[in-house]
Amino acid sequence: MKKLINAVDDVLSESLEGFAAAHADLVRISRSPTFVARAGTPTENKVALISGGGSGHEPLHAGFVGFGMLDAACPGQVFTSPTPDQMVAAAEAVDGGAGVLFIVKNYSGDVMNFEMAAEMLAGNHATVLINDDVAVEDSTYSSGRRGVAGTMIVEKMVGAAAEAGLDLATCQALGQRVNQATGSMGVALTSCTVPAAGKPTFELGGDEMEMGVGIHGEPGRRRVKLAPAAAIAEEMIGAICQSLQPERGEPVLLLVNGFGGTPLMELYLMYHAAAQQCGARGLEIARSLVGNYTTSLDMAGCSLTLTRLDDEMTRWWDAAVHAPALRWGR
Amino acid sequence: MKKLINAVDDVLSESLEGFAAAHADLVRISRSPTFVARAGTPTENKVALISGGGSGHEPLHAGFVGFGMLDAACPGQVFTSPTPDQMVAAAEAVDGGAGVLFIVKNYSGDVMNFEMAAEMLAGNHATVLINDDVAVEDSTYSSGRRGVAGTMIVEKMVGAAAEAGLDLATCQALGQRVNQATGSMGVALTSCTVPAAGKPTFELGGDEMEMGVGIHGEPGRRRVKLAPAAAIAEEMIGAICQSLQPERGEPVLLLVNGFGGTPLMELYLMYHAAAQQCGARGLEIARSLVGNYTTSLDMAGCSLTLTRLDDEMTRWWDAAVHAPALRWGR
């Protein structure tokens, strides 16, 4: 295992300390239980958005804590769900009186622990479950479709709505609507390596790729020979459109998300390939994002995500955001 | 070779097409000769900043074309200098009447071709040469120190000064001053793979790293056993401080730059390790940046950069910027 780390047991804590120090103007961390929250006091009468999940997907979720997006994030150990006490402490720290909305990726451990936290909470709360991965119906870690890179699109749009003062039920309904309108699919060229395991999660031949891979390196649709970017994009956009059924002429958001080990040069090339596939289907790419937003440690590969946009979603997407990993409009 | 590409010969052009389409609100591309420029017409009476170099270091340089930073970037093929006709065409396209400042990383090919371009230019022009890499005095591709991740710091600060209306000579002097105040050093855990070569540029054992590596995978100081992040940071910050000789209590900018194959989680861990080394030397980290800004294709590893800040540099760093890869203040 070749990683820039010290002791394996300290990877999460040292990375979080670095994150908090590098962004001290935006975030603060609680160390026991562990969560990341916006710097300063909670915004009064604003719905508080909280997400969380296993670490190893950075910048998801802590990188999205900030104005116009999340109020707090609860990081578990690498690829391990955070615990209910983290979520409860985060909720109590950031609830400004308008309630708490949990944004939860559909993995069995995350779902269970967020449910337990919800039961322990005295205040108003609601949950949006994210399941944008169109690759498989059930997987190693999930019952039903997995939640992957589309999560950050929900966090961005609902975060803007919460910042604008929408109430808890409206924010929840918006989150569910954005999730419904969003589909993703991933491909891995290499495995990731979990620090505590010390070796690759799975083995891929030198000429193979895993189509439909999950963000923990869990199996996808099939293991096939490495294909050109154009063919990969065709299969992924095809599968997403099969699920979302967008109409010709419809505006979409296209997110090309790197898994951590693939450089930007290839991500832009994949954007080009994906845009051609969208064009062939008569879709109008109205908004775009390219970069490493929902990673799988050091896995090489990427995912493509489409969201069918309406005017309201576009407005929430365009609204100002100021988080460590996403910033525009201020 | 496992990459998200189509034909090897099309990697640069397809990646650039994707880049231009994803950021059509900010940039436009010229295809023959190839350069990236800000969308719209040149700003009148503003010094135009132009950089360029081999591709494979994305987002450097094209990702920094935008308000408050570069006016144009000239990408060569992967790890290959752009040609003088690209630079001349870019200069003629973006010169708003106040002259052109070339920002050139110190590599023999880049230096020679930018010099040839300068000779061909009718208008006012000047050059800032970047040589921030403290690892080695001469290297495979350079006579004298190499220009690496510190380049984007010069581009940001001088870009802000040009946007504020400073003249060509003042912008050049500022660039030289920032370059003098900036030192970098890198470490590679794996080689990169140039698409046209199809195999790793160099071989590293499973337990080895290359200290002081250049951004093309060229040799650095020495090949040693993989060390903990803390020890790597100590050697790198030590070498940079030996070169820069910052005083105790002095404010610095700390940039932790990923080489393309290393995930954000490790970069923040390295930030933590580097910050401890700065603290031990009495340096105040006044500004920070963590991410993939000057990459080496898919190489795993990172570089650390320090800039000794004064009030003027800090003001230019904080000024608004709106480029595909860097945005704040608007």
Side-chain angles (χ1 to χ4, degrees), chain B residues 9 32 34 56 63 74 115 118 141 144 154 176 189 219 225 241 245 302:
Chain B
D9 284 348
S32 182
T34 304
C74 304
E115 274 177 3
Y141 301 112
V154 176
Q176 289 166 340
L189 302 192
K225 293 286 174 204
C241 287
Q245 298 284 331
C302 76

Side-chain angles (χ1 to χ4, degrees), chain B residues 106 221 275 283 316:
Chain B
N106 187 36
R221 293 192 161 189
L283 303 178
W316 297 134

Side-chain angles (χ1 to χ4, degrees), chain A residues 200-260:
Chain A
T201 302
F202 61 101
E203 289 295 340
L204 266 181
D207 59 348
E208 289 180 324
M209 61 180 186
E210 180 77 34
M211 281 301 293
V213 71
I215 57 172
H216 309 93
E218 65 268 41
R221 293 192 160 188
R222 54 207 177 88
R223 184 162 301 183
V224 291
K225 293 288 174 204
L226 189 61
I232 295 172
E234 183 177 8
E235 178 166 349
M236 291 161 85
I237 294 292
I240 295 166
C241 287
Q242 176 116 33
S243 171
L244 293 184
Q245 298 284 330
E247 286 166 29
R248 291 190 76 84
E250 205 175 298
V252 294
L253 186 162
L254 169 59
L255 164 63
V256 178
N257 169 63
F259 279 148

Side-chain angles (χ1 to χ4, degrees), chain B residues 39 64 74 84 90 124 147 169 214 245 264-265 288 296 313:
Chain B
F64 301 132
C74 304
N124 257 354
Q245 298 284 331
L264 202 50
M265 189 179 205
S288 300
S296 305
M313 290 186 211

Side-chain angles (χ1 to χ4, degrees), chain B residues 2-189:
Chain B
K2 297 181 101 170
K3 290 183 188 291
L4 295 166
I5 60 173
N6 294 301
V8 164
D9 284 348
D10 298 331
V11 169
L12 175 59
S13 63
E14 289 180 7
S15 181
L16 269 180
E17 292 292 339
F19 172 80
H23 303 290
D25 54 329
L26 293 174
V27 301
R28 61 187 168 91
I29 55 171
S30 159
R31 289 174 181 82
S32 182
T34 304
F35 64 87
V36 174
R38 293 194 199 180
T41 51
T43 311
E44 232 174 289
N45 294 321
K46 188 191 89 66
V47 170
L49 259 62
I50 299 179
S51 192
S55 293
H57 306 301
E58 293 70 25
L60 191 81
H61 298 274
F64 301 132
V65 171
F67 178 87
M69 215 158 164
L70 298 179
D71 292 272
C74 304
Q77 288 294 326
V78 171
F79 294 176
T80 302
S81 295
T83 49
D85 62 314
Q86 294 176 254
M87 302 152 189
V88 169
E92 289 171 349
V94 301
D95 187 352
V100 169
L101 184 62
F102 290 129
I103 299 182
V104 182
K105 302 194 297 301
N106 187 36
Y107 294 100
S108 309
D110 290 4
V111 171
M112 186 178 69
N113 287 358
F114 271 101
E115 274 177 3
M116 282 179 59
E119 282 169 20
M120 292 158 73
L121 272 183
N124 257 354
H125 55 81
T127 297
V128 175
L129 203 63
I130 311 297
N131 63 349
D132 56 311
D133 190 339
V134 306
V136 289
E137 278 305 308
D138 295 288
S139 84
T140 318
Y141 301 112
S142 71
S143 168
R145 291 174 16 167
R146 303 171 292 209
V148 291
T151 309
M152 66 98 62
I153 297 171
V154 176
E155 292 175 355
K156 168 69 187 79
M157 292 181 178
V158 179
E163 210 70 62
L166 271 60
D167 68 19
L168 184 60
T170 311
C171 286
Q172 181 190 35
L174 171 67
Q176 289 166 340
R177 199 158 64 81
V178 176
N179 176 60
Q180 286 280 330
T182 298
S184 301
M185 187 162 152
V187 62
L189 302 192

Side-chain angles (χ1 to χ4, degrees), chain A residues 57-124:
Chain A
H57 306 302
E58 291 70 24
L60 190 82
H61 297 276
F64 302 131
V65 171
F67 178 86
M69 216 159 163
L70 298 179
D71 292 272
C74 305
Q77 288 293 326
V78 171
F79 294 176
T80 302
S81 295
T83 50
D85 62 313
Q86 294 176 255
M87 300 152 190
V88 170
E92 287 170 349
V94 301
D95 188 352
V100 168
L101 184 61
F102 289 130
I103 299 181
V104 182
K105 301 193 297 301
N106 187 37
Y107 294 100
S108 308
D110 289 4
V111 171
M112 186 177 69
N113 287 357
F114 270 102
E115 274 176 3
M116 284 179 60
E119 283 168 18
M120 295 158 72
L121 271 183
N124 258 353

